[in-house]
């Protein structure tokens, strides 16, 4: 677990001092961050004794760091794809990382040998990749802008299953035995993975605008039971697959600020992550903030300070002690707002206490 102390107490992060405006929360800074916008973040699974963080970026690279107990990060290795990396995921045993990119391929990075091999292909950029560990099979699920969802035994060049999507895949999540995919035109499909992947049902979106991110949550018995869906209009929907009561499904506003003339400035929700122990959640947005929420109590647990740039992705470590968030331009305001002088950052924050649900008195 992280111990206290800010960044500047240690010289191990390199000689350049981060301006305080870039790190207003005084969180731990990941050394040698990506050179372009950060598209994906993921911590290693609990099967590994060490704690690793991987990040995919629009600079075509996937980087891996070891995260020490002190909050110090050590760059371990890097792999390069032929186009911007859109998603990454770990195998369940932590020996491999899968990398999905705009080059229409997914490669498997074997961390022990530091070699990569192509394991999946689509006819358009691959937007999502997720490892599925079922009781009777393991496979890689890939979603693409070619409007297909494919399932791969990574030893075979052909997918074991291919399912059509109504539109381009924009976001997905997997928590066995459930998968959820959000597409362009606000499509939303739930899949049942037990015995083999199959479509379970299509759901009408509770949000009026384009989906940006989706994350599955579990019930008190630790079973996947629903999902949170984020959109470009600063709103998150909490949806149960089989709600006990229709009122269990609700939406809430986030990543909005009061603008001029009584109007609200509305920002995209770029990513959602659920805490592995507490079941509370984090959202990050184009407004450059993150927030921690308790969906059951319908309350905000903690807002963050505002960063210099949008927050594009976030992730919790497997034991829920660390919250990682990536600060980089998300192109939400177009090319003219891109500032190459602004650096990309990944910050690590001790978060276990902050995400505890509040005790009702």
């Amino acid at each position: 677990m992280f111990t206290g102390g800010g960044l500047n107490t240690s010289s191990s992060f390199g000689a350049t001092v981060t301006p305080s405006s870039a790190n207003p929360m005084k969180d731990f800074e990941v050394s040698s961050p990506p050179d372009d916008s950060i598209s994906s973040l993921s911590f290693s699974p609990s099967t590994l004794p060490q704690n690793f963080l991987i990040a995919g970026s629009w600079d075509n690279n996937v980087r891996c760091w070891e995260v020490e107990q002190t909050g110090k990060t050590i760059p371990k290795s890097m792999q390069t794809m032929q186009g911007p990396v859109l998603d990454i995921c770990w195998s369940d045993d932590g020996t491999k990382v899968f990398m999905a990119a705009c080059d229409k391929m997914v490669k498997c990075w074997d961390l022990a040998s530091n070699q990569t091999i192509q394991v999946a292909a689509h006819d358009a950029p691959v937007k999502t990749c997720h490892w599925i560990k079922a009781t009777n099979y393991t496979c890689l699920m890939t979603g693409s802008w070619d409007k297909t969802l494919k399932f791969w035994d990574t030893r075979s060049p052909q997918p074991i299953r291919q399912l059509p999507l109504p539109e381009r895949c924009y976001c997905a999540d997997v928590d066995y035995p459930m998968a959820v995919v959000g597409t362009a035109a606000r499509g939303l499909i739930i899949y049942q993975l037990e015995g083999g992947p199959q479509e379970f049902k299509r759901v009408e979106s509770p949000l009026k605008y384009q989906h940006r991110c989706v994350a599955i949550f579990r019930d008190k018995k630790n079973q996947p039971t629903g999902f949170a869906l984020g959109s470009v209009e600063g709103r998150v929907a909490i949806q149960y697959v089989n709600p006990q009561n229709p009122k269990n499904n609700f939406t809430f506003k986030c990543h909005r600020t009061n603008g001029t003339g009584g109007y609200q400035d509305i920002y995209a929700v770029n990513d959602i992550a659920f805490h592995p122990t507490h079941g509370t959640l984090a959202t990050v947005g184009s407004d450059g903030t993150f927030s921690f929420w308790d969906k059951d109590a319908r309350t905000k647990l903690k807002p963050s300070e505002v960063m210099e740039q949008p927050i594009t992705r976030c992730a919790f470590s497997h034991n829920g002690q660390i919250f990682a968030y990536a600060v980089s331009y998300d192109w939400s305001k177009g090319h003219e707002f891109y500032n190459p002088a602004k650096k990309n950052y990944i910050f690590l924050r001790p978060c276990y206490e902050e995400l505890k649900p509040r005790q009702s008195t």
Side-chain angles (χ1 to χ4, degrees):
M1 186 173 161
F2 281 172
T3 49
L7 274 176
N8 300 333
T9 56
S10 159
S11 59
S12 57
F13 285 89
T16 54
V17 177
T18 302
S20 59
S21 60
N23 185 12
M25 305 290 284
K26 307 245 180 325
D27 288 330
F28 293 91
E29 186 183 338
V30 171
S31 57
S32 308
D35 300 323
D36 202 342
S37 297
I38 297 151
S39 61
S40 39
L41 276 182
S42 184
F43 280 99
S44 53
S46 58
T47 42
L48 292 182
Q50 312 97 313
N51 200 4
F52 294 101
L53 177 68
I54 49 169
S57 165
W58 281 79
D59 65 8
N60 300 9
N61 294 316
V62 177
R63 291 167 173 80
C64 177
W65 298 264
E66 185 172 353
V67 181
E68 295 191 337
Q69 298 284 349
T70 56
K72 181 183 171 187
T73 42
I74 303 159
K76 299 302 275 186
S77 192
M78 184 170 86
Q79 289 291 344
T80 304
M81 299 287 280
Q82 300 303 307
V85 178
L86 299 181
D87 201 13
I88 48 177
C89 69
W90 290 84
S91 62
D92 60 281
D93 61 4
T95 61
K96 297 175 183 69
V97 167
F98 298 95
M99 312 178 288
C102 286
D103 60 9
K104 309 177 190 174
M105 288 190 285
V106 181
K107 284 187 174 174
C108 173
W109 175 8
D110 184 297
L111 296 174
S113 66
N114 205 26
Q115 301 295 310
T116 64
I117 181 172
Q118 183 182 334
V119 291
H122 280 266
D123 296 329
V126 188
K127 184 65 175 70
T128 65
C129 63
H130 290 84
W131 184 251
I132 296 171
K133 182 171 171 51
T135 43
N136 59 335
Y137 71 95
T138 56
C139 72
L140 181 72
M141 180 183 98
T142 57
S144 166
W145 292 342
D146 68 5
K147 305 182 187 177
T148 64
L149 194 63
K150 295 184 183 183
F151 299 84
W152 307 83
D153 175 331
T154 55
R155 298 162 300 187
S156 166
Q158 297 302 321
I160 49 178
R161 187 159 295 178
Q162 177 171 324
L163 300 174
L165 294 173
E167 251 292 354
R168 288 153 291 163
C169 175
Y170 275 2
C171 55
D173 196 21
V174 166
D175 189 354
Y176 184 82
M178 178 176 157
V180 183
V181 174
T183 69
R186 298 169 49 248
L188 205 50
I189 309 161
I190 301 168
Y191 297 88
Q192 158 68 30
L193 302 175
E194 204 164 347
Q198 58 193 322
E199 191 171 313
F200 176 65
K201 67 176 175 183
R202 299 197 177 194
V203 187
E204 190 170 338
S205 176
L207 302 176
K208 295 190 180 72
Y209 294 90
Q210 178 185 308
H211 302 155
R212 199 64 176 265
C213 50
V214 67
I216 293 172
F217 60 81
R218 297 180 173 197
D219 60 15
K220 296 285 186 269
K221 297 177 187 148
N222 211 26
Q223 294 301 310
T225 187
F227 54 89
L229 183 70
S231 78
V232 296
E233 57 124 12
R235 198 182 284 270
V236 168
I238 301 291
Q239 288 283 113
Y240 287 82
V241 177
N242 298 304
Q244 305 297 314
N245 178 338
K247 290 189 175 139
N248 289 353
N249 290 341
F250 67 99
T251 68
F252 64 92
K253 296 174 186 171
C254 51
H255 302 289
R256 298 177 171 212
T257 55
N258 291 323
T260 51
Y263 290 99
Q264 273 193 322
D265 291 328
I266 296 174
Y267 298 88
V269 182
N270 285 332
D271 202 10
I272 299 170
F274 280 91
H275 192 274
T277 312
H278 302 318
T280 49
L281 67 146
T283 63
V284 302
S286 288
D287 58 345
T289 71
F290 63 80
S291 289
F292 298 156
W293 309 84
D294 181 341
K295 71 172 171 47
D296 299 326
R298 302 195 183 185
T299 55
K300 184 188 280 194
L301 297 172
K302 180 183 180 65
S304 78
E305 305 283 333
V306 182
M307 311 296 150
E308 280 188 335
Q309 295 205 83
I311 304 180
T312 51
R313 296 295 284 193
C314 66
F316 288 110
S317 60
H318 68 82
N319 60 6
Q321 296 286 355
I322 312 169
F323 175 66
Y325 58 101
V327 179
S328 57
Y329 189 48
D330 62 0
W331 300 89
S332 55
K333 292 183 173 178
H335 187 267
E336 61 272 27
F337 281 85
Y338 171 61
N339 181 353
K342 284 194 175 165
K343 197 179 146 192
N344 306 294
Y345 295 99
I346 301 171
F347 293 117
L348 305 178
R349 178 175 187 82
C351 68
Y352 194 83
E353 294 300 320
E354 292 179 339
L355 277 125
K356 273 187 178 167
R358 297 218 179 105
Q359 297 304 317
S360 50
T361 48

